[in-house]
Amino acid sequence: MARIWERGRLARPLVAMVAAFFLLTACGDIPQPFRHEGLNHAVAPSAGRGIVVRPLDDSARSVQLAEAVVRKLLEVEIPASTRPVVAGAWVIAAQAEPGPTATALHWTLTRSDGEELGGVDQSIPAGPWGRATPRTLDLIAAEVVDKLSGALTGGAMGKAEAAPVTAGPTVQLLALGGLPGDGDKALWAAMRRMLDSGGLRLVEGEADFRVRGQVTVSPGTPGEEILAVAWTVMGRDGQALGTAAQQGGVPKGRLSGAWGGLASDIAAGGADGVMEIIRAAFGK
């Protein structure tokens, strides 16, 4: 019989549907339905692995720009989010200086101890900045990540990441299906990165454990949808060992396009429970 995972321990066997973690939080006008509080061992950086991208302000344009930077970081397999989902993460932040003909953006990459590792200066003409399209924001974000790539993937980060490789259990992450937007691909890829960062060996075939994600979207309050995610861990015999569940509200229509940082937030929170279930079973 499957067991329900309760933060840090296994609950008594239950037949009823798992009770979800309710992770709905807010910060100003920025929805944060799957913000993960506390240290997530699956994605905890040994030395700067993991990036928090801070929006310039609470405006929609600033949030979209931060999410664009997150997407570009994820494309080069650097765990990133617009929210502090891991302790000790490095930070990419920017300041804007409006001018009569252009806005100057000053970006900095900072370690968790406050040491500045690099910076990027951009001058965005007033017209394109004032009516910034997703394409414009993607171009700005691509330049930021490209110019910080030395510090992010080589240089200081590359040296700090050197660590002994530990052999963990093998895990097959089953494909997701039926999600709106790019959810199937984005959430699967984000969860794979999180589990891999936690020392698990992700494989495509026979494995010690299989992880199945089930996601449902249902109507919520006006202008909102409820996203429920359940990650079930199964052993070699197909027996369910436990389930880590999440639930939160997202603005209506948010899931119809690119999931971006939302996928990372969901995966970061879900990986915590999945890792605990696997480690508990693997240690027996």
PDB file of all heavy atoms in Angstrom, residues 56-72:
ATOM      1  N   LEU A  56      13.565  43.681 -11.610  1.00  0.00           N
ATOM      2  CA  LEU A  56      13.892  45.078 -11.313  1.00  0.00           C
ATOM      3  C   LEU A  56      12.911  45.667 -10.310  1.00  0.00           C
ATOM      4  O   LEU A  56      13.286  46.402  -9.403  1.00  0.00           O
ATOM      5  CB  LEU A  56      13.846  45.908 -12.606  1.00  0.00           C
ATOM      6  CG  LEU A  56      15.001  45.716 -13.601  1.00  0.00           C
ATOM      7  CD1 LEU A  56      14.594  46.230 -14.966  1.00  0.00           C
ATOM      8  CD2 LEU A  56      16.225  46.463 -13.095  1.00  0.00           C
ATOM      9  N   ASP A  57      11.637  45.374 -10.507  1.00  0.00           N
ATOM     10  CA  ASP A  57      10.572  45.855  -9.630  1.00  0.00           C
ATOM     11  C   ASP A  57       9.375  44.927  -9.810  1.00  0.00           C
ATOM     12  O   ASP A  57       9.512  43.837 -10.372  1.00  0.00           O
ATOM     13  CB  ASP A  57      10.209  47.320  -9.946  1.00  0.00           C
ATOM     14  CG  ASP A  57       9.943  47.540 -11.438  1.00  0.00           C
ATOM     15  OD1 ASP A  57       9.186  46.738 -12.026  1.00  0.00           O
ATOM     16  OD2 ASP A  57      10.485  48.501 -12.011  1.00  0.00           O
ATOM     17  N   ASP A  58       8.215  45.336  -9.325  1.00  0.00           N
ATOM     18  CA  ASP A  58       7.028  44.479  -9.388  1.00  0.00           C
ATOM     19  C   ASP A  58       6.231  44.635 -10.683  1.00  0.00           C
ATOM     20  O   ASP A  58       5.164  44.030 -10.819  1.00  0.00           O
ATOM     21  CB  ASP A  58       6.094  44.766  -8.199  1.00  0.00           C
ATOM     22  CG  ASP A  58       6.675  44.256  -6.895  1.00  0.00           C
ATOM     23  OD1 ASP A  58       7.629  43.456  -6.950  1.00  0.00           O
ATOM     24  OD2 ASP A  58       6.185  44.655  -5.821  1.00  0.00           O
ATOM     25  N   SER A  59       6.727  45.418 -11.633  1.00  0.00           N
ATOM     26  CA  SER A  59       5.986  45.616 -12.872  1.00  0.00           C
ATOM     27  C   SER A  59       5.986  44.344 -13.708  1.00  0.00           C
ATOM     28  O   SER A  59       6.880  43.500 -13.592  1.00  0.00           O
ATOM     29  CB  SER A  59       6.608  46.757 -13.687  1.00  0.00           C
ATOM     30  OG  SER A  59       7.894  46.390 -14.161  1.00  0.00           O
ATOM     31  N   ALA A  60       4.967  44.213 -14.558  1.00  0.00           N
ATOM     32  CA  ALA A  60       4.867  43.027 -15.412  1.00  0.00           C
ATOM     33  C   ALA A  60       6.082  42.892 -16.315  1.00  0.00           C
ATOM     34  O   ALA A  60       6.598  41.788 -16.527  1.00  0.00           O
ATOM     35  CB  ALA A  60       3.583  43.086 -16.239  1.00  0.00           C
ATOM     36  N   ARG A  61       6.566  44.019 -16.852  1.00  0.00           N
ATOM     37  CA  ARG A  61       7.727  43.971 -17.744  1.00  0.00           C
ATOM     38  C   ARG A  61       8.959  43.444 -17.011  1.00  0.00           C
ATOM     39  O   ARG A  61       9.699  42.601 -17.543  1.00  0.00           O
ATOM     40  CB  ARG A  61       8.021  45.369 -18.298  1.00  0.00           C
ATOM     41  CG  ARG A  61       9.265  45.437 -19.188  1.00  0.00           C
ATOM     42  CD  ARG A  61       9.510  46.853 -19.666  1.00  0.00           C
ATOM     43  NE  ARG A  61       9.648  47.781 -18.543  1.00  0.00           N
ATOM     44  CZ  ARG A  61       9.691  49.102 -18.662  1.00  0.00           C
ATOM     45  NH1 ARG A  61       9.572  49.645 -19.861  1.00  0.00           N
ATOM     46  NH2 ARG A  61       9.833  49.884 -17.603  1.00  0.00           N
ATOM     47  N   SER A  62       9.183  43.899 -15.787  1.00  0.00           N
ATOM     48  CA  SER A  62      10.348  43.457 -15.021  1.00  0.00           C
ATOM     49  C   SER A  62      10.263  41.977 -14.676  1.00  0.00           C
ATOM     50  O   SER A  62      11.260  41.245 -14.734  1.00  0.00           O
ATOM     51  CB  SER A  62      10.478  44.288 -13.739  1.00  0.00           C
ATOM     52  OG  SER A  62      10.761  45.633 -14.045  1.00  0.00           O
ATOM     53  N   VAL A  63       9.069  41.528 -14.304  1.00  0.00           N
ATOM     54  CA  VAL A  63       8.882  40.112 -13.985  1.00  0.00           C
ATOM     55  C   VAL A  63       9.120  39.257 -15.222  1.00  0.00           C
ATOM     56  O   VAL A  63       9.780  38.213 -15.167  1.00  0.00           O
ATOM     57  CB  VAL A  63       7.468  39.864 -13.416  1.00  0.00           C
ATOM     58  CG1 VAL A  63       7.212  38.372 -13.231  1.00  0.00           C
ATOM     59  CG2 VAL A  63       7.297  40.593 -12.081  1.00  0.00           C
ATOM     60  N   GLN A  64       8.600  39.697 -16.371  1.00  0.00           N
ATOM     61  CA  GLN A  64       8.784  38.951 -17.610  1.00  0.00           C
ATOM     62  C   GLN A  64      10.253  38.908 -18.023  1.00  0.00           C
ATOM     63  O   GLN A  64      10.733  37.896 -18.539  1.00  0.00           O
ATOM     64  CB  GLN A  64       7.937  39.572 -18.719  1.00  0.00           C
ATOM     65  CG  GLN A  64       6.439  39.373 -18.525  1.00  0.00           C
ATOM     66  CD  GLN A  64       5.597  40.279 -19.404  1.00  0.00           C
ATOM     67  OE1 GLN A  64       6.120  41.018 -20.246  1.00  0.00           O
ATOM     68  NE2 GLN A  64       4.290  40.244 -19.210  1.00  0.00           N
ATOM     69  N   LEU A  65      10.983  40.005 -17.787  1.00  0.00           N
ATOM     70  CA  LEU A  65      12.401  40.022 -18.113  1.00  0.00           C
ATOM     71  C   LEU A  65      13.163  39.040 -17.218  1.00  0.00           C
ATOM     72  O   LEU A  65      14.025  38.291 -17.696  1.00  0.00           O
ATOM     73  CB  LEU A  65      12.968  41.434 -17.956  1.00  0.00           C
ATOM     74  CG  LEU A  65      14.481  41.595 -18.199  1.00  0.00           C
ATOM     75  CD1 LEU A  65      14.868  41.075 -19.584  1.00  0.00           C
ATOM     76  CD2 LEU A  65      14.900  43.053 -18.030  1.00  0.00           C
ATOM     77  N   ALA A  66      12.856  39.033 -15.926  1.00  0.00           N
ATOM     78  CA  ALA A  66      13.507  38.091 -15.010  1.00  0.00           C
ATOM     79  C   ALA A  66      13.214  36.652 -15.420  1.00  0.00           C
ATOM     80  O   ALA A  66      14.100  35.789 -15.394  1.00  0.00           O
ATOM     81  CB  ALA A  66      13.055  38.353 -13.575  1.00  0.00           C
ATOM     82  N   GLU A  67      11.977  36.392 -15.817  1.00  0.00           N
ATOM     83  CA  GLU A  67      11.611  35.040 -16.243  1.00  0.00           C
ATOM     84  C   GLU A  67      12.340  34.661 -17.537  1.00  0.00           C
ATOM     85  O   GLU A  67      12.698  33.497 -17.738  1.00  0.00           O
ATOM     86  CB  GLU A  67      10.101  34.940 -16.441  1.00  0.00           C
ATOM     87  CG  GLU A  67       9.324  34.993 -15.124  1.00  0.00           C
ATOM     88  CD  GLU A  67       7.821  34.932 -15.333  1.00  0.00           C
ATOM     89  OE1 GLU A  67       7.362  35.190 -16.473  1.00  0.00           O
ATOM     90  OE2 GLU A  67       7.111  34.623 -14.364  1.00  0.00           O
ATOM     91  N   ALA A  68      12.573  35.650 -18.405  1.00  0.00           N
ATOM     92  CA  ALA A  68      13.318  35.385 -19.634  1.00  0.00           C
ATOM     93  C   ALA A  68      14.763  35.004 -19.315  1.00  0.00           C
ATOM     94  O   ALA A  68      15.335  34.101 -19.947  1.00  0.00           O
ATOM     95  CB  ALA A  68      13.281  36.611 -20.550  1.00  0.00           C
ATOM     96  N   VAL A  69      15.375  35.680 -18.330  1.00  0.00           N
ATOM     97  CA  VAL A  69      16.737  35.325 -17.917  1.00  0.00           C
ATOM     98  C   VAL A  69      16.756  33.912 -17.337  1.00  0.00           C
ATOM     99  O   VAL A  69      17.664  33.118 -17.610  1.00  0.00           O
ATOM    100  CB  VAL A  69      17.281  36.343 -16.888  1.00  0.00           C
ATOM    101  CG1 VAL A  69      18.643  35.903 -16.369  1.00  0.00           C
ATOM    102  CG2 VAL A  69      17.389  37.731 -17.509  1.00  0.00           C
ATOM    103  N   VAL A  70      15.729  33.581 -16.542  1.00  0.00           N
ATOM    104  CA  VAL A  70      15.633  32.226 -15.983  1.00  0.00           C
ATOM    105  C   VAL A  70      15.583  31.197 -17.102  1.00  0.00           C
ATOM    106  O   VAL A  70      16.272  30.168 -17.062  1.00  0.00           O
ATOM    107  CB  VAL A  70      14.394  32.100 -15.073  1.00  0.00           C
ATOM    108  CG1 VAL A  70      14.089  30.632 -14.766  1.00  0.00           C
ATOM    109  CG2 VAL A  70      14.604  32.866 -13.777  1.00  0.00           C
ATOM    110  N   ARG A  71      14.754  31.445 -18.122  1.00  0.00           N
ATOM    111  CA  ARG A  71      14.650  30.499 -19.241  1.00  0.00           C
ATOM    112  C   ARG A  71      15.997  30.293 -19.926  1.00  0.00           C
ATOM    113  O   ARG A  71      16.364  29.164 -20.284  1.00  0.00           O
ATOM    114  CB  ARG A  71      13.613  30.981 -20.257  1.00  0.00           C
ATOM    115  CG  ARG A  71      12.175  30.836 -19.806  1.00  0.00           C
ATOM    116  CD  ARG A  71      11.222  30.967 -20.980  1.00  0.00           C
ATOM    117  NE  ARG A  71      11.334  32.244 -21.656  1.00  0.00           N
ATOM    118  CZ  ARG A  71      10.658  33.337 -21.305  1.00  0.00           C
ATOM    119  NH1 ARG A  71       9.843  33.306 -20.268  1.00  0.00           N
ATOM    120  NH2 ARG A  71      10.796  34.463 -21.982  1.00  0.00           N
ATOM    121  N   LYS A  72      16.739  31.380 -20.134  1.00  0.00           N
ATOM    122  CA  LYS A  72      18.032  31.269 -20.800  1.00  0.00           C
ATOM    123  C   LYS A  72      19.024  30.475 -19.935  1.00  0.00           C
ATOM    124  O   LYS A  72      19.850  29.715 -20.456  1.00  0.00           O
ATOM    125  CB  LYS A  72      18.605  32.662 -21.102  1.00  0.00           C
ATOM    126  CG  LYS A  72      17.761  33.465 -22.080  1.00  0.00           C
ATOM    127  CD  LYS A  72      17.562  32.743 -23.401  1.00  0.00           C
ATOM    128  CE  LYS A  72      16.688  33.541 -24.355  1.00  0.00           C
ATOM    129  NZ  LYS A  72      16.427  32.805 -25.619  1.00  0.00           N
TER     130      LYS A  72
END
